Amino acid sequence: MASSVTASLQTGNLRSVFLGKRNAVYVPSAPVTRVRLMRKTIQCKESRIGKQPIEVPSNVTVTLEGQGLQAQGPLGQLAITYPREVKVEREDSGILWVKRTIETKRANQMHGLFRTLTNNMVVGVSKGFDKKLLLVGVGYRAMVEGKVLVLNLGFSHPVKMEIPEGIQVKVEESTRITVSGYDKAAIGQFAASVRKWRPPEPYKGKGVRYDDEIIRRKEGKAGKKK
């Protein structure tokens, strides 16, 4: 062994004897310790909203085709496509169940979301939804001209908004706006667009706000004491 090491040192070839590079200084290698990672299975709890049944009224027709669902009622027709994480099952009594197809965190989130969207569809085409807005401010007025909502909100010109299909807008006492229809998402979007023109300010509460909206008031700047 000594003779082989000496021969290697004379030729400068350390690779055949030591665990190092050729023509390099020998550094003893430290033992490698293998660490085992323990895999822990995460169990997702069932969504409290997703596990609730959906009752379909007698005046609503529901059609299931693969991952798609279509609901038709006296107020209109809506359709939705489900992701691969969830599926819909229908009982003979007409009750709908939204269930998960896999056990993941995303599937648990999709479970509750699409159960809510499905219930909104069934309620929308049978009963409908509405959203109420209030105009607070001197000279703030609203009126409906055909399919256009006209708002006077203190600007130099009136604001005109075209009313989308499937949405009805009613104005009472020039300061109360009721947006109704069968698509809850479209109603909320249009109402938010109206409110966006003049959001309520926190000092006097002037602006366009929802009927059930609570505005946190702020105190105005106090004058200098004499």
Side-chain angles (χ1 to χ4, degrees), residues 7-41:
S8 299
L9 291 174
Q10 290 176 355
T11 57
N13 184 9
L14 302 181
R15 187 177 182 181
S16 61
V17 180
F18 302 108
L19 299 177
K21 293 183 179 180
R22 185 177 297 177
N23 299 330
V25 179
Y26 167 68
V27 179
S29 58
V32 179
T33 303
R34 295 183 179 180
V35 180
R36 294 185 178 180
L37 299 178
M38 301 296 293
R39 294 184 178 180
K40 184 178 180 181
T41 304

Side-chain angles (χ1 to χ4, degrees), residues 37-102:
L37 299 178
M38 301 296 293
R39 294 184 178 180
K40 184 178 180 181
T41 304
I42 300 176
Q43 296 181 354
C44 298
K45 295 182 179 179
E46 189 174 5
S47 173
R48 291 178 296 178
I49 298 176
K51 66 182 181 182
Q52 297 178 5
I54 301 173
E55 296 183 2
V56 181
S58 58
N59 58 351
V60 176
T61 303
V62 175
T63 304
L64 286 173
E65 294 183 359
Q67 288 294 99
L69 181 142
Q70 183 176 353
Q72 185 174 2
L75 299 182
Q77 179 178 333
L78 292 172
I80 190 173
T81 301
Y82 298 92
R84 63 181 181 87
E85 289 85 358
V86 296
K87 64 178 180 179
V88 181
E89 296 180 357
R90 178 173 55 183
E91 295 182 353
D92 296 335
S93 59
I95 297 178
L96 297 177
W97 295 90
V98 180
K99 297 183 178 181
R100 294 177 294 183
T101 57
I102 55 178

